[in-house]
Amino acid sequence: MSQVSEQVHEDQYHLLYSLEAEMCALGSALLSERATDDLLTILEPRHYFRSGHRLIHKAIATIRARRGAIDFITVKEQLMASGNLADIGGDDYLIQIAEYTPSPANSGYYAKLVLDKATLRRLDDAGHQIRGVVHSSAIRDRKSTRLNSSHRT
């Protein structure tokens, strides 16, 4: 693949996720109970592109399942208890997420954007799988045709 086509592929792949929307959805949950409800209603951990964001979502869901309050301290404590605080980038990253969030009032929008990007990634993966099946089928057909023609002669 040429350098230009590699760059185009990389640029197009960036269209399949929004780290900013992921950060804002999670940051909103740290700042607002209503935003936490939006987050947990709309998203699941598998919808996040960044693995650290999946861990933060799981921590929030665990706290909520225990009917606990969601904020920076409780999420940090849950991540420490599960051994995942360092994996997400430490408490500095949690602070960064909360500070990056313009307004928790937009939490539903952020969560839907994350969900839309996850859907695009699933469609992209399905397309790659289909392409793989088509190519392997074409290769099998080509080999079969060669074998059949060699037996006839």
Side-chain angles (χ1 to χ4, degrees), residues 126-138:
H128 284 285
Q129 289 175 359
I130 291 167
R131 202 169 17 261
V133 168
V134 168
H135 287 276
S136 62
S137 182

PDB file of all heavy atoms in Angstrom, residues 126-138:
ATOM      1  N   ALA A 126     -17.981  -5.844   9.709  1.00  0.00           N
ATOM      2  CA  ALA A 126     -18.796  -6.763   8.913  1.00  0.00           C
ATOM      3  C   ALA A 126     -18.384  -6.700   7.446  1.00  0.00           C
ATOM      4  O   ALA A 126     -18.292  -7.728   6.772  1.00  0.00           O
ATOM      5  CB  ALA A 126     -20.278  -6.437   9.069  1.00  0.00           C
ATOM      6  N   GLY A 127     -18.131  -5.496   6.958  1.00  0.00           N
ATOM      7  CA  GLY A 127     -17.675  -5.344   5.576  1.00  0.00           C
ATOM      8  C   GLY A 127     -16.364  -6.063   5.328  1.00  0.00           C
ATOM      9  O   GLY A 127     -16.190  -6.727   4.300  1.00  0.00           O
ATOM     10  N   HIS A 128     -15.434  -5.966   6.286  1.00  0.00           N
ATOM     11  CA  HIS A 128     -14.152  -6.666   6.149  1.00  0.00           C
ATOM     12  C   HIS A 128     -14.361  -8.173   6.161  1.00  0.00           C
ATOM     13  O   HIS A 128     -13.712  -8.897   5.391  1.00  0.00           O
ATOM     14  CB  HIS A 128     -13.185  -6.255   7.270  1.00  0.00           C
ATOM     15  CG  HIS A 128     -12.594  -4.895   7.063  1.00  0.00           C
ATOM     16  ND1 HIS A 128     -11.609  -4.640   6.138  1.00  0.00           N
ATOM     17  CD2 HIS A 128     -12.866  -3.712   7.651  1.00  0.00           C
ATOM     18  CE1 HIS A 128     -11.293  -3.353   6.165  1.00  0.00           C
ATOM     19  NE2 HIS A 128     -12.054  -2.770   7.079  1.00  0.00           N
ATOM     20  N   GLN A 129     -15.251  -8.661   7.006  1.00  0.00           N
ATOM     21  CA  GLN A 129     -15.530 -10.096   7.054  1.00  0.00           C
ATOM     22  C   GLN A 129     -16.154 -10.578   5.749  1.00  0.00           C
ATOM     23  O   GLN A 129     -15.777 -11.618   5.219  1.00  0.00           O
ATOM     24  CB  GLN A 129     -16.445 -10.432   8.229  1.00  0.00           C
ATOM     25  CG  GLN A 129     -15.767 -10.295   9.565  1.00  0.00           C
ATOM     26  CD  GLN A 129     -16.732 -10.505  10.729  1.00  0.00           C
ATOM     27  OE1 GLN A 129     -17.917 -10.738  10.536  1.00  0.00           O
ATOM     28  NE2 GLN A 129     -16.210 -10.406  11.947  1.00  0.00           N
ATOM     29  N   ILE A 130     -17.085  -9.807   5.231  1.00  0.00           N
ATOM     30  CA  ILE A 130     -17.717 -10.163   3.959  1.00  0.00           C
ATOM     31  C   ILE A 130     -16.681 -10.186   2.843  1.00  0.00           C
ATOM     32  O   ILE A 130     -16.637 -11.113   2.038  1.00  0.00           O
ATOM     33  CB  ILE A 130     -18.870  -9.191   3.623  1.00  0.00           C
ATOM     34  CG1 ILE A 130     -20.023  -9.401   4.607  1.00  0.00           C
ATOM     35  CG2 ILE A 130     -19.339  -9.355   2.182  1.00  0.00           C
ATOM     36  CD1 ILE A 130     -21.074  -8.313   4.574  1.00  0.00           C
ATOM     37  N   ARG A 131     -15.829  -9.172   2.820  1.00  0.00           N
ATOM     38  CA  ARG A 131     -14.781  -9.105   1.804  1.00  0.00           C
ATOM     39  C   ARG A 131     -13.864 -10.321   1.905  1.00  0.00           C
ATOM     40  O   ARG A 131     -13.485 -10.913   0.898  1.00  0.00           O
ATOM     41  CB  ARG A 131     -13.998  -7.799   1.961  1.00  0.00           C
ATOM     42  CG  ARG A 131     -13.285  -7.363   0.729  1.00  0.00           C
ATOM     43  CD  ARG A 131     -12.707  -5.944   0.760  1.00  0.00           C
ATOM     44  NE  ARG A 131     -12.535  -5.281   2.030  1.00  0.00           N
ATOM     45  CZ  ARG A 131     -13.396  -4.380   2.549  1.00  0.00           C
ATOM     46  NH1 ARG A 131     -14.488  -4.068   1.906  1.00  0.00           N
ATOM     47  NH2 ARG A 131     -13.160  -3.810   3.694  1.00  0.00           N
ATOM     48  N   GLY A 132     -13.548 -10.736   3.135  1.00  0.00           N
ATOM     49  CA  GLY A 132     -12.708 -11.916   3.333  1.00  0.00           C
ATOM     50  C   GLY A 132     -13.368 -13.181   2.821  1.00  0.00           C
ATOM     51  O   GLY A 132     -12.718 -14.027   2.192  1.00  0.00           O
ATOM     52  N   VAL A 133     -14.663 -13.327   3.068  1.00  0.00           N
ATOM     53  CA  VAL A 133     -15.396 -14.491   2.576  1.00  0.00           C
ATOM     54  C   VAL A 133     -15.418 -14.489   1.053  1.00  0.00           C
ATOM     55  O   VAL A 133     -15.195 -15.519   0.410  1.00  0.00           O
ATOM     56  CB  VAL A 133     -16.837 -14.514   3.148  1.00  0.00           C
ATOM     57  CG1 VAL A 133     -17.692 -15.541   2.435  1.00  0.00           C
ATOM     58  CG2 VAL A 133     -16.816 -14.773   4.638  1.00  0.00           C
ATOM     59  N   VAL A 134     -15.678 -13.332   0.455  1.00  0.00           N
ATOM     60  CA  VAL A 134     -15.730 -13.224  -1.002  1.00  0.00           C
ATOM     61  C   VAL A 134     -14.376 -13.577  -1.606  1.00  0.00           C
ATOM     62  O   VAL A 134     -14.295 -14.366  -2.558  1.00  0.00           O
ATOM     63  CB  VAL A 134     -16.176 -11.802  -1.428  1.00  0.00           C
ATOM     64  CG1 VAL A 134     -15.962 -11.581  -2.916  1.00  0.00           C
ATOM     65  CG2 VAL A 134     -17.623 -11.568  -1.029  1.00  0.00           C
ATOM     66  N   HIS A 135     -13.297 -13.043  -1.029  1.00  0.00           N
ATOM     67  CA  HIS A 135     -11.968 -13.305  -1.573  1.00  0.00           C
ATOM     68  C   HIS A 135     -11.583 -14.770  -1.420  1.00  0.00           C
ATOM     69  O   HIS A 135     -11.051 -15.367  -2.345  1.00  0.00           O
ATOM     70  CB  HIS A 135     -10.924 -12.398  -0.919  1.00  0.00           C
ATOM     71  CG  HIS A 135     -11.011 -10.983  -1.380  1.00  0.00           C
ATOM     72  ND1 HIS A 135     -10.423 -10.529  -2.535  1.00  0.00           N
ATOM     73  CD2 HIS A 135     -11.662  -9.913  -0.847  1.00  0.00           C
ATOM     74  CE1 HIS A 135     -10.690  -9.252  -2.697  1.00  0.00           C
ATOM     75  NE2 HIS A 135     -11.445  -8.853  -1.685  1.00  0.00           N
ATOM     76  N   SER A 136     -11.843 -15.356  -0.267  1.00  0.00           N
ATOM     77  CA  SER A 136     -11.480 -16.767  -0.080  1.00  0.00           C
ATOM     78  C   SER A 136     -12.341 -17.659  -0.957  1.00  0.00           C
ATOM     79  O   SER A 136     -11.872 -18.672  -1.485  1.00  0.00           O
ATOM     80  CB  SER A 136     -11.570 -17.180   1.386  1.00  0.00           C
ATOM     81  OG  SER A 136     -12.878 -17.051   1.868  1.00  0.00           O
ATOM     82  N   SER A 137     -13.588 -17.298  -1.186  1.00  0.00           N
ATOM     83  CA  SER A 137     -14.455 -18.059  -2.079  1.00  0.00           C
ATOM     84  C   SER A 137     -13.954 -17.959  -3.511  1.00  0.00           C
ATOM     85  O   SER A 137     -13.930 -18.949  -4.242  1.00  0.00           O
ATOM     86  CB  SER A 137     -15.884 -17.525  -1.979  1.00  0.00           C
ATOM     87  OG  SER A 137     -16.736 -18.267  -2.802  1.00  0.00           O
ATOM     88  N   ALA A 138     -13.531 -16.776  -3.910  1.00  0.00           N
ATOM     89  CA  ALA A 138     -13.007 -16.577  -5.266  1.00  0.00           C
ATOM     90  C   ALA A 138     -11.725 -17.373  -5.454  1.00  0.00           C
ATOM     91  O   ALA A 138     -11.506 -17.969  -6.520  1.00  0.00           O
ATOM     92  CB  ALA A 138     -12.761 -15.096  -5.530  1.00  0.00           C
TER      93      ALA A 138
END
